[in-house]
Amino acid sequence: MKVEMEDLHEEDATVCDSVNSLVEGCRLPVHMKGTDDWPLAELISIKEILGTKCYYVHYVDFNKRLDEWVTEEYLDTRKVHFPRRDGTSNTGVSTPKKIHFGEVNSRPSSPIPAPSQEILNGNAVLAAALQKKINSRKRKVPTTENEDSLEAPAPPVPGPRQSGSMVAHHDDVVTRMKNVNMIELGRHRIKPWYFAPYPQEMVNLPCIYICEFCLKYKKSRKCLERHLVKCNLKHPPGNEIYRKEGVSFFEIDGRKNKQYAQNLCLLAKLFLDHKTLYYDTDPFLFYVMTVFDNRGFHIVGYFSKEKESTEDYNVACILTMPPYQRKGYGKLLIEFSYELSKFEGKTGSPEKPLSDLGLLSYRSYWAQTILEILITMNPVGENEKPQITINEICELTSIKKEDVISTLQNLNLINYYKGQYIIALNKDIIDSHRKAMESRKIRIDPKCLHWTPKDWGKRAKW
Ligand code: ACO
Ligand code: ZN
């Protein structure tokens, strides 16, 4: 069978009479759990568990967090695309390059037992809907932030920010697959989204038990309980630099609290697919956001930040722990990161590439922040229209110029009129902005931030 990479049609598919002839790399429609859809999926791994053949599938047009183990009845063997002999796929969708850290020896975990699938299914429906939203948006966005920015990072360039212990490699069957079935973190049981290089003895377990305060990981609840007797932390290490209405931020130096920083990176990798992770945490600061109750300060999310960034990055990686997602905490983390930049008197931008959810969150934050300024601006004189320059918007918000411009373009606000650029706000956009701001209940109060930026460049060593 000869198939052109760019030109794959249904008729190129082969009817496969037996699932036994399916091999890794085959592409075929697969019933996505929790939905009525049968999207095209690639078989990443085939395994026999207790006499039942199980297939680890990746839905070609969907984020990897939806990858899952399925059994035979989920496969539509009437339309199978077999892999080409040279090992490439025949649908023209290449596997992105990825980077992960450390020499690891983790194998893909076993198919997840039935009960835990339910948690995945809720996510599947949501993520499928999200993917549709993103696909439809992707077509509209300018080239600087189009599909490319959602793809995996370029191969690493050796430099001062990249640790020697980091290993660059092509996405392989091991790191493409989720290897941790479940984690328990405080009161939450969370299903991981992606591979993370936990030690071999930790993967393939039904659950990894993580101390929610120091982030050490344990094989069993018993081990964790023993640890909790000794562990007297009730909050992340480092300095509490912000507190308001139960929300706190702790600043952690990746050099001073190396083990915590590494455990945090490892935990975060379960939900971050596309970012480089470092064993060398020295060049980073970690800002951990917590919510407080009578049991302690519980981690909600974090972002990391290079002590010195030549590219004006003010965030390296950002994460809201899944149980807290979609409640406004992501925007709170982003707002905090810009507040730090304001204190530094700089503009900043998140490190690229952004994930699908990262892009959505930043776009929404930038749009709301810039609209807030435009809408509340006062005219200079009577009968005058308010005036502002892009640079002034940057100064007021610490949002980097290119992000301000792309936001104004995305919102379709810039018009060219009588030889100059003007921003025209209509009633609809003002109304929907006001509504959106009303729903942003938790905000950062700069008065509660007790922090002075350090000039890391002046220090001999971080
Ligand atoms: N589906 C649709 N929209 C979503 C979803 C989702 N699953 N998650 C967030 N959004 C939208 C929200 O609707 C909101 O936009 P709106 O206010 O205009 O409606 C916006 O994104 C932010 O929502 P929050 O509730 O403030 O953000 P959340 O706490 O969910 O955190 C984050 C967002 C940090 C990106 C989270 O999804 C996450 O941790 N994802 C996994 C890790 C990741 O991808 N991080 C970003 C990588 S890029 C980088 O590190 C620089
Ligand atoms: Zn602990």
Side-chain angles (χ1 to χ4, degrees):
M1 182 175 64
K2 190 170 180 298
V3 182
E4 285 301 318
M5 296 249 297
E6 293 79 20
D7 191 21
L8 186 92
H9 299 297
E10 288 255 310
E11 50 272 25
D12 298 319
T14 309
V15 177
C16 173
D17 13 319
S18 154
V19 282
N20 290 332
S21 40
L22 290 174
V23 289
E24 285 161 10
C26 278
R27 290 181 175 213
L28 71 169
V30 175
H31 183 190
M32 187 188 260
K33 288 183 184 167
T35 73
D36 294 329
D37 299 334
W38 289 77
L40 185 68
E42 180 177 337
L43 299 184
I44 306 292
S45 178
I46 304 175
K47 230 178 181 183
E48 198 163 309
I49 308 287
L50 302 171
T52 306
K53 259 206 174 151
C54 295
Y55 303 83
Y56 192 82
V57 297
H58 166 65
Y59 299 101
V60 173
D61 286 328
F62 292 82
N63 190 284
K64 250 166 48 187
R65 62 181 167 270
L66 294 190
D67 293 4
E68 58 187 344
W69 286 99
V70 298
T71 43
E72 197 179 310
E73 60 275 21
Y74 284 81
L75 309 177
D76 181 352
T77 49
R78 289 167 304 172
K79 299 171 196 158
V80 179
H81 305 287
F82 281 89
R84 286 151 53 119
R85 281 228 187 91
D86 60 8
T88 59
S89 141
N90 60 5
T91 49
V93 184
S94 65
T95 306
K97 287 198 186 86
K98 269 226 289 80
I99 302 157
H100 76 95
F101 68 91
E103 293 289 353
V104 287
N105 188 22
S106 301
R107 280 200 311 275
S109 64
S110 303
I112 305 144
S116 54
Q117 294 286 8
E118 278 167 29
I119 307 168
L120 197 67
N121 291 346
N123 281 346
V125 180
L126 178 68
L130 168 69
Q131 197 76 36
K132 272 185 196 157
K133 189 171 157 187
I134 289 168
N135 287 344
S136 71
R137 279 191 188 180
K138 265 204 246 173
R139 276 169 231 127
K140 293 180 209 151
V141 298
T143 47
T144 49
E145 281 193 40
N146 67 6
E147 317 39 0
D148 292 340
S149 62
L150 293 171
E151 288 296 337
V157 184
R161 292 287 163 267
Q162 297 200 331
S163 139
S165 63
M166 189 180 63
V167 178
H169 66 94
H170 290 267
D171 223 7
D172 56 38
V173 77
V174 171
T175 59
R176 274 188 91 178
M177 294 171 66
K178 299 170 203 195
N179 58 335
V180 176
N181 287 324
M182 184 74 81
I183 59 162
E184 196 174 287
L185 181 72
R187 293 195 168 168
H188 306 286
R189 283 205 144 214
I190 310 170
K191 278 211 76 55
W193 295 1
Y194 308 111
F195 172 91
Y198 276 93
Q200 179 61 42
E201 64 273 20
M202 302 305 295
V203 301
N204 292 322
L205 297 171
C207 185
I208 296 180
Y209 296 82
I210 300 175
C211 170
E212 61 169 325
F213 301 115
C214 71
L215 304 183
K216 285 197 178 129
Y217 45 83
K218 301 286 164 190
K219 273 186 197 169
S220 66
R221 183 166 290 132
K222 252 217 161 71
C223 289
L224 179 68
E225 278 164 7
R226 270 202 299 274
H227 166 80
L228 291 176
V229 175
K230 294 178 285 170
C231 179
N232 43 24
L233 273 183
K234 285 285 172 265
H235 54 76
N239 293 330
E240 188 184 4
I241 58 169
Y242 178 93
R243 183 188 291 194
K244 187 172 182 180
E245 289 160 3
V247 173
S248 295
F249 277 84
F250 292 81
E251 184 186 57
I252 293 123
D253 184 324
R255 185 178 69 82
K256 291 187 189 152
N257 285 292
K258 206 173 288 233
Q259 203 181 17
Y260 180 87
Q262 287 181 347
N263 287 338
L264 178 59
C265 289
L266 203 48
L267 170 62
K269 178 65 196 74
L270 292 170
F271 308 100
L272 276 162
D273 180 36
H274 62 296
K275 278 298 178 82
T276 312
L277 281 181
Y278 303 88
Y279 269 135
D280 182 4
T281 55
D282 289 16
F284 293 90
L285 293 165
F286 296 82
Y287 294 92
V288 175
M289 180 169 68
T290 62
V291 287
F292 176 76
D293 68 13
N294 54 5
R295 291 175 303 119
F297 295 76
H298 310 282
I299 180 167
V300 167
Y302 88 104
F303 64 88
S304 53
K305 174 173 175 158
E306 282 175 291
K307 291 172 181 171
E308 286 180 275
S309 168
T310 45
E311 280 132 310
D312 292 337
Y313 292 138
N314 63 356
V315 164
C317 291
I318 184 164
L319 167 77
T320 304
M321 297 306 299
Y324 296 96
Q325 284 177 7
R326 306 213 67 184
K327 296 178 197 291
Y329 287 116
K331 252 184 225 167
L332 205 63
L333 285 163
I334 296 173
E335 191 177 4
F336 192 82
S337 71
Y338 282 106
E339 215 47 63
L340 294 185
S341 295
K342 285 184 202 169
F343 272 53
E344 292 171 324
K346 289 184 194 163
T347 61
S349 185
E351 198 179 291
K352 311 299 174 305
L354 295 174
S355 67
D356 54 353
L357 296 173
L359 185 63
L360 270 181
S361 305
Y362 268 97
R363 283 241 176 101
S364 175
Y365 174 82
W366 290 329
Q368 290 182 353
T369 308
I370 294 167
L371 280 173
E372 189 64 14
I373 286 177
L374 298 178
I375 290 171
T376 54
M377 232 167 43
N378 291 319
V380 207
E382 250 178 72
N383 302 325
E384 297 253 342
K385 295 260 182 258
Q387 286 200 12
I388 192 160
T389 64
I390 303 268
N391 282 340
E392 282 165 343
I393 298 178
C394 297
E395 274 169 39
L396 287 167
T397 59
S398 275
I399 300 173
K400 210 178 173 183
K401 196 167 182 174
E402 62 227 43
D403 298 330
V404 171
I405 294 170
S406 75
T407 304
L408 293 172
Q409 283 170 339
N410 275 327
L411 291 170
N412 222 348
L413 292 181
I414 303 183
N415 294 295
Y416 195 66
Y417 182 71
K418 290 191 179 165
Q420 58 181 334
Y421 289 100
I422 58 156
I423 290 174
L425 296 173
N426 60 36
K427 190 176 172 307
D428 284 353
I429 198 156
I430 296 174
D431 287 349
S432 75
H433 170 73
R434 295 236 157 93
K435 228 170 154 186
M437 291 310 275
E438 273 166 29
S439 69
R440 246 173 96 177
K441 293 274 184 292
I442 13 172
R443 298 293 302 270
I444 294 298
D445 180 351
K447 290 195 291 300
C448 301
L449 173 58
H450 303 286
W451 185 74
T452 30
K454 288 194 186 79
D455 186 354
W456 296 96
K458 280 199 183 140
R459 293 165 182 237
K461 182 151 173 46
W462 301 302

mmCIF file of all heavy atoms in Angstrom, residues 126 130 193 271-272 274-275 316-320 325-331 350-351 354-355 357-358 360-361 364, ligand 1:
data_model
loop_
_atom_site.group_PDB
_atom_site.id
_atom_site.type_symbol
_atom_site.label_atom_id
_atom_site.label_comp_id
_atom_site.label_asym_id
_atom_site.label_seq_id
_atom_site.Cartn_x
_atom_site.Cartn_y
_atom_site.Cartn_z
ATOM 1 N N LEU A 126 -14.366 17.340 28.686
ATOM 2 C CA LEU A 126 -13.960 18.741 28.783
ATOM 3 C C LEU A 126 -12.836 19.052 27.801
ATOM 4 O O LEU A 126 -12.881 20.010 27.050
ATOM 5 C CB LEU A 126 -13.484 19.019 30.214
ATOM 6 C CG LEU A 126 -12.976 20.414 30.478
ATOM 7 C CD1 LEU A 126 -14.129 21.401 30.385
ATOM 8 C CD2 LEU A 126 -12.339 20.486 31.861
ATOM 9 N N LEU A 130 -12.565 21.529 24.669
ATOM 10 C CA LEU A 130 -11.521 22.554 24.658
ATOM 11 C C LEU A 130 -10.723 22.492 23.367
ATOM 12 O O LEU A 130 -10.428 23.496 22.748
ATOM 13 C CB LEU A 130 -10.592 22.342 25.853
ATOM 14 C CG LEU A 130 -9.309 23.145 25.842
ATOM 15 C CD1 LEU A 130 -9.602 24.615 26.031
ATOM 16 C CD2 LEU A 130 -8.380 22.662 26.933
ATOM 17 N N TRP A 193 -1.499 13.524 33.930
ATOM 18 C CA TRP A 193 -1.782 13.766 32.506
ATOM 19 C C TRP A 193 -0.671 13.256 31.595
ATOM 20 O O TRP A 193 -0.916 12.896 30.462
ATOM 21 C CB TRP A 193 -1.931 15.276 32.249
ATOM 22 C CG TRP A 193 -3.098 15.924 32.921
ATOM 23 C CD1 TRP A 193 -4.029 15.340 33.734
ATOM 24 C CD2 TRP A 193 -3.458 17.310 32.826
ATOM 25 N NE1 TRP A 193 -4.934 16.280 34.153
ATOM 26 C CE2 TRP A 193 -4.616 17.494 33.608
ATOM 27 C CE3 TRP A 193 -2.909 18.413 32.164
ATOM 28 C CZ2 TRP A 193 -5.244 18.737 33.745
ATOM 29 C CZ3 TRP A 193 -3.530 19.638 32.290
ATOM 30 C CH2 TRP A 193 -4.691 19.796 33.077
ATOM 31 N N PHE A 271 1.837 17.125 34.832
ATOM 32 C CA PHE A 271 0.781 17.935 34.204
ATOM 33 C C PHE A 271 1.328 18.900 33.151
ATOM 34 O O PHE A 271 0.573 19.686 32.589
ATOM 35 C CB PHE A 271 0.006 18.700 35.296
ATOM 36 C CG PHE A 271 -0.469 17.776 36.379
ATOM 37 C CD1 PHE A 271 0.216 17.680 37.583
ATOM 38 C CD2 PHE A 271 -1.553 16.944 36.158
ATOM 39 C CE1 PHE A 271 -0.190 16.783 38.563
ATOM 40 C CE2 PHE A 271 -1.967 16.041 37.125
ATOM 41 C CZ PHE A 271 -1.280 15.962 38.332
ATOM 42 N N LEU A 272 2.623 18.866 32.957
ATOM 43 C CA LEU A 272 3.257 19.735 31.960
ATOM 44 C C LEU A 272 3.937 18.840 30.939
ATOM 45 O O LEU A 272 4.843 18.090 31.281
ATOM 46 C CB LEU A 272 4.322 20.609 32.626
ATOM 47 C CG LEU A 272 3.858 21.885 33.296
ATOM 48 C CD1 LEU A 272 4.918 22.376 34.268
ATOM 49 C CD2 LEU A 272 3.562 22.958 32.263
ATOM 50 N N HIS A 274 5.240 19.905 27.762
ATOM 51 C CA HIS A 274 6.050 20.465 26.690
ATOM 52 C C HIS A 274 7.238 21.256 27.195
ATOM 53 O O HIS A 274 7.868 21.950 26.437
ATOM 54 C CB HIS A 274 5.158 21.397 25.879
ATOM 55 C CG HIS A 274 4.657 22.511 26.726
ATOM 56 N ND1 HIS A 274 3.827 22.278 27.791
ATOM 57 C CD2 HIS A 274 4.966 23.815 26.736
ATOM 58 C CE1 HIS A 274 3.626 23.423 28.403
ATOM 59 N NE2 HIS A 274 4.301 24.367 27.789
ATOM 60 N N LYS A 275 7.505 21.190 28.501
ATOM 61 C CA LYS A 275 8.554 22.044 29.037
ATOM 62 C C LYS A 275 9.776 21.243 29.439
ATOM 63 O O LYS A 275 9.676 20.101 29.856
ATOM 64 C CB LYS A 275 8.027 22.812 30.251
ATOM 65 C CG LYS A 275 7.230 24.040 29.856
ATOM 66 C CD LYS A 275 8.095 25.004 29.105
ATOM 67 C CE LYS A 275 7.367 26.221 28.628
ATOM 68 N NZ LYS A 275 7.218 27.245 29.609
ATOM 69 N N ALA A 316 8.752 30.704 33.992
ATOM 70 C CA ALA A 316 9.296 29.575 33.213
ATOM 71 C C ALA A 316 8.182 28.533 33.053
ATOM 72 O O ALA A 316 7.721 28.268 31.953
ATOM 73 C CB ALA A 316 10.513 28.994 33.913
ATOM 74 N N CYS A 317 7.731 27.959 34.163
ATOM 75 C CA CYS A 317 6.620 26.999 34.125
ATOM 76 C C CYS A 317 5.546 27.465 35.093
ATOM 77 O O CYS A 317 5.855 28.035 36.138
ATOM 78 C CB CYS A 317 7.081 25.621 34.590
ATOM 79 S SG CYS A 317 8.185 24.844 33.439
ATOM 80 N N ILE A 318 4.315 27.184 34.746
ATOM 81 C CA ILE A 318 3.204 27.589 35.616
ATOM 82 C C ILE A 318 2.188 26.458 35.665
ATOM 83 O O ILE A 318 1.946 25.787 34.663
ATOM 84 C CB ILE A 318 2.585 28.928 35.124
ATOM 85 C CG1 ILE A 318 1.499 29.442 36.058
ATOM 86 C CG2 ILE A 318 2.062 28.833 33.710
ATOM 87 C CD1 ILE A 318 1.131 30.912 35.834
ATOM 88 N N LEU A 319 1.648 26.237 36.853
ATOM 89 C CA LEU A 319 0.717 25.113 37.012
ATOM 90 C C LEU A 319 -0.285 25.391 38.119
ATOM 91 O O LEU A 319 0.081 25.874 39.191
ATOM 92 C CB LEU A 319 1.515 23.849 37.385
ATOM 93 C CG LEU A 319 0.715 22.648 37.886
ATOM 94 C CD1 LEU A 319 0.043 21.925 36.721
ATOM 95 C CD2 LEU A 319 1.600 21.669 38.634
ATOM 96 N N THR A 320 -1.542 25.079 37.846
ATOM 97 C CA THR A 320 -2.533 24.986 38.912
ATOM 98 C C THR A 320 -2.787 23.490 39.111
ATOM 99 O O THR A 320 -3.023 22.780 38.125
ATOM 100 C CB THR A 320 -3.869 25.659 38.513
ATOM 101 O OG1 THR A 320 -3.613 27.015 38.155
ATOM 102 C CG2 THR A 320 -4.867 25.630 39.651
ATOM 103 N N GLN A 325 -8.144 23.713 39.418
ATOM 104 C CA GLN A 325 -8.198 24.400 38.113
ATOM 105 C C GLN A 325 -9.586 24.960 37.812
ATOM 106 O O GLN A 325 -10.578 24.509 38.359
ATOM 107 C CB GLN A 325 -7.781 23.437 36.990
ATOM 108 C CG GLN A 325 -6.274 23.233 36.959
ATOM 109 C CD GLN A 325 -5.821 22.233 35.929
ATOM 110 O OE1 GLN A 325 -6.608 21.748 35.126
ATOM 111 N NE2 GLN A 325 -4.531 21.910 35.949
ATOM 112 N N ARG A 326 -9.612 25.937 36.927
ATOM 113 C CA ARG A 326 -10.834 26.569 36.446
ATOM 114 C C ARG A 326 -11.615 27.286 37.539
ATOM 115 O O ARG A 326 -12.833 27.365 37.514
ATOM 116 C CB ARG A 326 -11.734 25.548 35.737
ATOM 117 C CG ARG A 326 -11.008 24.814 34.623
ATOM 118 C CD ARG A 326 -11.903 24.469 33.487
ATOM 119 N NE ARG A 326 -12.355 25.648 32.788
ATOM 120 C CZ ARG A 326 -13.215 25.640 31.776
ATOM 121 N NH1 ARG A 326 -13.704 24.497 31.366
ATOM 122 N NH2 ARG A 326 -13.580 26.749 31.178
ATOM 123 N N LYS A 327 -10.874 27.758 38.541
ATOM 124 C CA LYS A 327 -11.511 28.529 39.610
ATOM 125 C C LYS A 327 -10.876 29.917 39.695
ATOM 126 O O LYS A 327 -11.078 30.632 40.664
ATOM 127 C CB LYS A 327 -11.308 27.819 40.953
ATOM 128 C CG LYS A 327 -11.962 26.449 41.068
ATOM 129 C CD LYS A 327 -11.629 25.861 42.451
ATOM 130 C CE LYS A 327 -11.846 24.383 42.550
ATOM 131 N NZ LYS A 327 -13.204 23.917 42.503
ATOM 132 N N GLY A 328 -10.029 30.257 38.752
ATOM 133 C CA GLY A 328 -9.412 31.584 38.752
ATOM 134 C C GLY A 328 -8.018 31.620 39.362
ATOM 135 O O GLY A 328 -7.372 32.669 39.360
ATOM 136 N N TYR A 329 -7.527 30.474 39.856
ATOM 137 C CA TYR A 329 -6.196 30.490 40.484
ATOM 138 C C TYR A 329 -5.080 30.666 39.454
ATOM 139 O O TYR A 329 -4.043 31.251 39.753
ATOM 140 C CB TYR A 329 -5.951 29.202 41.282
ATOM 141 C CG TYR A 329 -6.748 29.133 42.566
ATOM 142 C CD1 TYR A 329 -7.722 28.154 42.755
ATOM 143 C CD2 TYR A 329 -6.515 30.040 43.593
ATOM 144 C CE1 TYR A 329 -8.457 28.086 43.936
ATOM 145 C CE2 TYR A 329 -7.239 29.988 44.773
ATOM 146 C CZ TYR A 329 -8.201 29.006 44.939
ATOM 147 O OH TYR A 329 -8.917 28.948 46.108
ATOM 148 N N GLY A 330 -5.295 30.149 38.235
ATOM 149 C CA GLY A 330 -4.284 30.303 37.186
ATOM 150 C C GLY A 330 -4.052 31.782 36.909
ATOM 151 O O GLY A 330 -2.917 32.254 36.847
ATOM 152 N N LYS A 331 -5.151 32.516 36.794
ATOM 153 C CA LYS A 331 -5.025 33.952 36.537
ATOM 154 C C LYS A 331 -4.403 34.667 37.724
ATOM 155 O O LYS A 331 -3.696 35.656 37.574
ATOM 156 C CB LYS A 331 -6.395 34.539 36.237
ATOM 157 C CG LYS A 331 -6.510 34.885 34.782
ATOM 158 C CD LYS A 331 -7.802 35.543 34.489
ATOM 159 C CE LYS A 331 -8.360 34.929 33.235
ATOM 160 N NZ LYS A 331 -9.730 35.265 33.014
ATOM 161 N N PRO A 350 5.769 35.058 29.514
ATOM 162 C CA PRO A 350 6.016 33.652 29.862
ATOM 163 C C PRO A 350 6.928 32.980 28.842
ATOM 164 O O PRO A 350 6.919 33.355 27.665
ATOM 165 C CB PRO A 350 4.610 33.040 29.804
ATOM 166 C CG PRO A 350 3.847 33.899 28.862
ATOM 167 C CD PRO A 350 4.394 35.285 29.040
ATOM 168 N N GLU A 351 7.695 32.012 29.338
ATOM 169 C CA GLU A 351 8.597 31.273 28.454
ATOM 170 C C GLU A 351 7.799 30.498 27.416
ATOM 171 O O GLU A 351 6.724 29.983 27.730
ATOM 172 C CB GLU A 351 9.409 30.306 29.340
ATOM 173 C CG GLU A 351 10.643 29.777 28.714
ATOM 174 C CD GLU A 351 11.389 28.858 29.686
ATOM 175 O OE1 GLU A 351 11.932 29.353 30.694
ATOM 176 O OE2 GLU A 351 11.401 27.645 29.432
ATOM 177 N N LEU A 354 3.988 27.947 24.921
ATOM 178 C CA LEU A 354 2.915 27.829 25.906
ATOM 179 C C LEU A 354 2.115 26.561 25.592
ATOM 180 O O LEU A 354 2.013 26.169 24.433
ATOM 181 C CB LEU A 354 1.976 29.029 25.817
ATOM 182 C CG LEU A 354 2.551 30.400 26.163
ATOM 183 C CD1 LEU A 354 1.524 31.484 25.878
ATOM 184 C CD2 LEU A 354 2.960 30.451 27.625
ATOM 185 N N SER A 355 1.554 25.981 26.605
ATOM 186 C CA SER A 355 0.661 24.834 26.356
ATOM 187 C C SER A 355 -0.683 25.370 25.864
ATOM 188 O O SER A 355 -0.929 26.578 25.898
ATOM 189 C CB SER A 355 0.456 24.058 27.655
ATOM 190 O OG SER A 355 -0.264 24.864 28.560
ATOM 191 N N LEU A 357 -3.586 25.122 27.360
ATOM 192 C CA LEU A 357 -4.281 25.778 28.476
ATOM 193 C C LEU A 357 -3.539 27.035 28.924
ATOM 194 O O LEU A 357 -4.151 28.019 29.338
ATOM 195 C CB LEU A 357 -4.423 24.806 29.655
ATOM 196 C CG LEU A 357 -5.299 23.579 29.377
ATOM 197 C CD1 LEU A 357 -5.245 22.604 30.545
ATOM 198 C CD2 LEU A 357 -6.725 23.985 29.088
ATOM 199 N N GLY A 358 -2.208 26.991 28.812
ATOM 200 C CA GLY A 358 -1.400 28.167 29.146
ATOM 201 C C GLY A 358 -1.739 29.322 28.214
ATOM 202 O O GLY A 358 -1.936 30.462 28.655
ATOM 203 N N LEU A 360 -4.510 29.822 26.510
ATOM 204 C CA LEU A 360 -5.870 30.314 26.816
ATOM 205 C C LEU A 360 -5.856 31.232 28.026
ATOM 206 O O LEU A 360 -6.477 32.299 28.033
ATOM 207 C CB LEU A 360 -6.777 29.132 27.172
ATOM 208 C CG LEU A 360 -7.554 28.432 26.079
ATOM 209 C CD1 LEU A 360 -8.390 27.323 26.687
ATOM 210 C CD2 LEU A 360 -8.442 29.423 25.352
ATOM 211 N N SER A 361 -5.140 30.812 29.062
ATOM 212 C CA SER A 361 -5.135 31.567 30.310
ATOM 213 C C SER A 361 -4.422 32.903 30.132
ATOM 214 O O SER A 361 -4.904 33.935 30.605
ATOM 215 C CB SER A 361 -4.451 30.775 31.425
ATOM 216 O OG SER A 361 -5.076 29.525 31.555
ATOM 217 N N SER A 364 -6.470 35.338 28.013
ATOM 218 C CA SER A 364 -7.583 35.885 28.768
ATOM 219 C C SER A 364 -7.074 36.933 29.774
ATOM 220 O O SER A 364 -7.659 38.006 29.919
ATOM 221 C CB SER A 364 -8.310 34.735 29.467
ATOM 222 O OG SER A 364 -9.305 35.229 30.290
HETATM 223 N N1 ACO B 1 -11.000 24.367 29.223
HETATM 224 C C1 ACO B 1 -11.365 25.580 28.737
HETATM 225 N N2 ACO B 1 -10.901 26.747 29.236
HETATM 226 C C2 ACO B 1 -10.023 26.670 30.262
HETATM 227 C C3 ACO B 1 -9.604 25.436 30.809
HETATM 228 C C4 ACO B 1 -10.130 24.253 30.244
HETATM 229 N N3 ACO B 1 -9.773 23.053 30.716
HETATM 230 N N4 ACO B 1 -8.750 25.681 31.821
HETATM 231 C C5 ACO B 1 -8.621 27.021 31.914
HETATM 232 N N5 ACO B 1 -9.402 27.609 30.966
HETATM 233 C C6 ACO B 1 -9.558 29.053 30.741
HETATM 234 C C7 ACO B 1 -10.574 29.601 31.717
HETATM 235 O O1 ACO B 1 -11.864 29.557 31.205
HETATM 236 C C8 ACO B 1 -10.076 31.003 31.938
HETATM 237 O O2 ACO B 1 -10.476 31.864 30.900
HETATM 238 P P1 ACO B 1 -11.740 32.871 31.084
HETATM 239 O O3 ACO B 1 -11.563 33.534 32.396
HETATM 240 O O4 ACO B 1 -11.560 33.791 29.920
HETATM 241 O O5 ACO B 1 -12.918 32.009 31.022
HETATM 242 C C9 ACO B 1 -8.566 30.875 31.782
HETATM 243 O O6 ACO B 1 -8.344 29.693 31.052
HETATM 244 C C10 ACO B 1 -7.866 30.831 33.110
HETATM 245 O O7 ACO B 1 -8.595 30.069 34.015
HETATM 246 P P2 ACO B 1 -8.118 29.905 35.517
HETATM 247 O O8 ACO B 1 -9.185 29.204 36.282
HETATM 248 O O9 ACO B 1 -7.638 31.212 36.039
HETATM 249 O O10 ACO B 1 -6.835 28.988 35.303
HETATM 250 P P3 ACO B 1 -6.492 27.578 35.942
HETATM 251 O O11 ACO B 1 -6.399 27.684 37.431
HETATM 252 O O12 ACO B 1 -7.359 26.530 35.402
HETATM 253 O O13 ACO B 1 -4.981 27.418 35.426
HETATM 254 C C11 ACO B 1 -3.351 26.686 33.896
HETATM 255 C C12 ACO B 1 -4.594 27.568 34.101
HETATM 256 C C13 ACO B 1 -2.255 27.108 34.875
HETATM 257 C C14 ACO B 1 -2.811 26.872 32.488
HETATM 258 C C15 ACO B 1 -3.793 25.220 34.156
HETATM 259 O O14 ACO B 1 -4.675 24.822 33.133
HETATM 260 C C16 ACO B 1 -2.663 24.224 34.221
HETATM 261 O O15 ACO B 1 -1.981 24.116 35.234
HETATM 262 N N6 ACO B 1 -2.459 23.435 33.135
HETATM 263 C C17 ACO B 1 -1.458 22.401 33.102
HETATM 264 C C18 ACO B 1 -0.063 22.975 33.027
HETATM 265 C C19 ACO B 1 0.070 23.980 31.903
HETATM 266 O O16 ACO B 1 -0.316 23.730 30.773
HETATM 267 N N7 ACO B 1 0.669 25.145 32.246
HETATM 268 C C20 ACO B 1 0.943 26.215 31.298
HETATM 269 C C21 ACO B 1 2.148 25.876 30.527
HETATM 270 S S1 ACO B 1 2.822 27.254 29.690
HETATM 271 C C22 ACO B 1 4.059 27.791 30.738
HETATM 272 O O17 ACO B 1 4.404 27.076 31.642
HETATM 273 C C23 ACO B 1 4.677 29.122 30.521
#
